[in-house]
């Protein structure tokens, strides 16, 4: 049975900005998070705790979190800030920065895992096992993202069985959510259905989140398939910005405003206010020097304008 709601997680402050060549001011990163909250986001991937030499855009992650923690009580508004981590060191920094959720990445292909985080899949899974217990002890929500779940830029096809095996292992470690990431935008809707069914069977009771890049324009079709197949959350970025710095020709996530529009048109609740989201996309475009953003809704406008504005 399909759900009448979908949780839309804003990832522009992390995935969206990390691929930007020009360094964005810390104050703008904070404003992006706060504007997302105002638009209705309740889970936001705000920062990543990664090697600043490799991802300079995330060097001020601790500062962004410190300022956000001083900005009134986001927790009282039900806002959960997520920090992405690749290893134990990153997890310790996330803990120190007072994130609400840590999202630990393992990549489904050996080559990409080594390129992305410098160690083998087995090493990464061992670190996840170590930190899962600590996260529980500290009261932190702990999720795992399986990167390149639908294909790898270095190894090609990724076997469904490999994704299911990693999900089974992660579930046994007690994670509360497993995200299937289409890091390079090669998923199709039927592949999404099949992998979600396999992961559900391998990790019963664990929430499923999906992360799609729109590299080959299949992103929204995949988002629809994920919802139909029982995913409870989708990662999106306002304006459709983003991409992985370590994946060749990577492009942005599915745009938040386009995704929210599609689901709201179908009567599926997201909790977002579309006019505010469109304003946020316009503001972000200014921050990024006025370059054209991939999102379509901000260009085309709402339809029917009055009805949607009244409903959201
Ligand atoms: Zn991504």
């Amino acid at each position: 049975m399909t759900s009448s709601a979908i949780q839309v997680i804003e990832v522009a402050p992390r995935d969206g900005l990390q691929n930007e060549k020009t360094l964005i001011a810390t104050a703008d990163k904070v404003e992006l998070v706060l504007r997302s909250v105002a638009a209705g986001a309740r889970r936001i991937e705000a920062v990543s705790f990664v090697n600043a030499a490799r991802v300079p855009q995330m060097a001020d992650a601790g500062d962004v979190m410190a300022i956000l923690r001083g900005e009134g009580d986001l927790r009282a508004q039900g806002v959960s800030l997520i920090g992405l981590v690749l290893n134990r060191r990153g997890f310790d920094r996330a803990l120190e920065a007072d994130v609400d959720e840590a999202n630990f990445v393992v990549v489904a292909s050996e080559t990409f895992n080594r390129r992305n985080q410098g160690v083998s899949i087995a090493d990464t899974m061992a670190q996840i096992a170590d930190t899962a217990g600590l996260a529980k002890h500290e009261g932190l929500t702990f999720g795992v993202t399986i990167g390149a779940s639908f294909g790898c830029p270095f190894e090609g096809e990724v076997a469904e069985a490999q994704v299911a095996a990693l999900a089974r292992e992660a579930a046994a470690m007690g994670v509360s959510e497993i995200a299937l990431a289409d890091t390079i935008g090669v998923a199709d809707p039927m592949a999404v259905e099949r992998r979600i069914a396999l992961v559900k069977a391998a990790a019963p009771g664990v929430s499923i989140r999906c992360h799609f890049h729109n590299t080959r324009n299949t992103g929204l079709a995949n988002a629809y398939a994920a919802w139909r197949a029982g995913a409870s959350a989708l990662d999106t970025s306002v304006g459709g910005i983003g991409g992985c710095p370590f994946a060749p020709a990577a492009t942005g996530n599915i745009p938040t405003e386009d995704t929210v529009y599609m689901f709201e048109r179908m009567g599926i609740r997201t909790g977002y206010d579309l006019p505010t989201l469109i304003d946020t996309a316009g503001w972000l475009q200014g921050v990024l020097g006025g370059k054209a953003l991939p999102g379509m809704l901000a260009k085309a406008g709402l339809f029917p304008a009055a009805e949607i504005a009244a409903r959201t």
Side-chain angles (χ1 to χ4, degrees):
M1 211 184 88
T2 51
S3 165
S4 60
I6 185 87
Q7 197 174 66
V8 174
I9 302 174
E10 181 57 61
V11 300
R14 197 281 302 172
D15 202 339
L17 294 183
Q18 71 177 6
N19 218 23
E20 290 295 323
K21 300 280 176 286
T22 312
L23 286 182
I24 309 299
T26 304
D28 286 334
K29 293 174 181 171
V30 169
E31 186 168 350
L32 177 55
V33 171
L34 296 177
R35 281 177 177 267
S36 300
V37 171
R42 288 300 172 265
R43 290 178 76 196
I44 302 171
E45 203 157 272
V47 286
S48 63
F49 296 95
V50 294
N51 186 344
R54 299 192 75 211
V55 190
Q57 195 67 259
M58 291 294 129
D60 59 352
D63 299 335
V64 170
M65 280 302 303
I67 298 169
L68 284 169
R69 285 298 175 225
E71 287 283 343
D73 198 348
L74 291 175
R75 281 178 178 133
Q77 296 176 58
V79 174
S80 187
L81 298 177
I82 308 170
L84 181 128
V85 306
L86 302 181
N87 50 37
R88 174 60 195 266
R89 197 181 135 92
F91 178 81
D92 290 342
R93 287 175 61 203
L95 206 56
E96 197 181 324
D98 197 20
V99 298
D100 300 293
E101 303 181 41
N103 184 28
F104 210 122
V105 179
V106 61
V107 186
S109 91
E110 196 63 52
T111 310
F112 200 174
N113 197 76
R114 285 177 189 273
R115 289 208 188 209
N116 202 54
Q117 34 228 82
V119 296
S120 68
I121 291 175
D123 272 356
T124 298
M125 291 307 284
Q127 293 184 49
I128 291 174
D130 278 354
T131 42
L134 190 56
K136 196 169 190 178
H137 183 257
E138 298 284 343
L140 214 63
T141 302
F142 190 69
V144 165
T145 285
I146 303 176
S149 277
F150 299 87
C152 168
F154 310 108
E155 294 184 12
E157 300 287 2
V158 167
E160 292 170 348
Q162 163 74 351
V163 177
L166 289 172
R168 184 175 294 111
E169 245 189 277
M173 294 169 189
V175 306
S176 58
E177 183 176 65
I178 292 173
L180 301 181
D182 185 18
T183 312
I184 58 167
V186 292
D188 65 77
M190 290 180 75
V192 170
E193 266 178 43
R194 283 197 307 272
R195 275 165 175 74
I196 288 178
L198 285 172
V199 168
K200 271 185 170 178
V206 178
S207 302
I208 298 178
R209 165 180 173 186
C210 286
H211 178 103
F212 297 119
H213 283 268
N214 198 32
T215 318
R216 290 167 180 81
N217 220 13
T218 55
L220 279 186
N222 294 336
Y224 175 68
W227 167 75
R228 294 276 300 191
S232 54
L234 290 168
D235 289 359
T236 65
S237 75
V238 67
I241 65 166
C244 172
F246 309 113
T251 50
N253 300 91
I254 51 173
T256 307
E257 61 278 19
D258 295 11
T259 306
V260 165
Y261 171 80
M262 180 181 79
F263 281 103
E264 294 284 343
R265 277 291 276 172
M266 296 191 291
I268 311 304
R269 299 272 83 86
T270 64
Y272 279 80
D273 178 62
L274 273 169
T276 310
L277 265 181
I278 291 174
D279 284 351
T280 304
W283 169 84
L284 184 59
Q285 183 174 27
V287 169
L288 299 177
K291 70 173 180 184
L293 304 185
M296 304 286 280
L297 185 74
K299 295 163 194 152
L302 290 171
F303 179 84
E307 186 190 296
I308 289 176
R311 224 171 51 184
T312 51

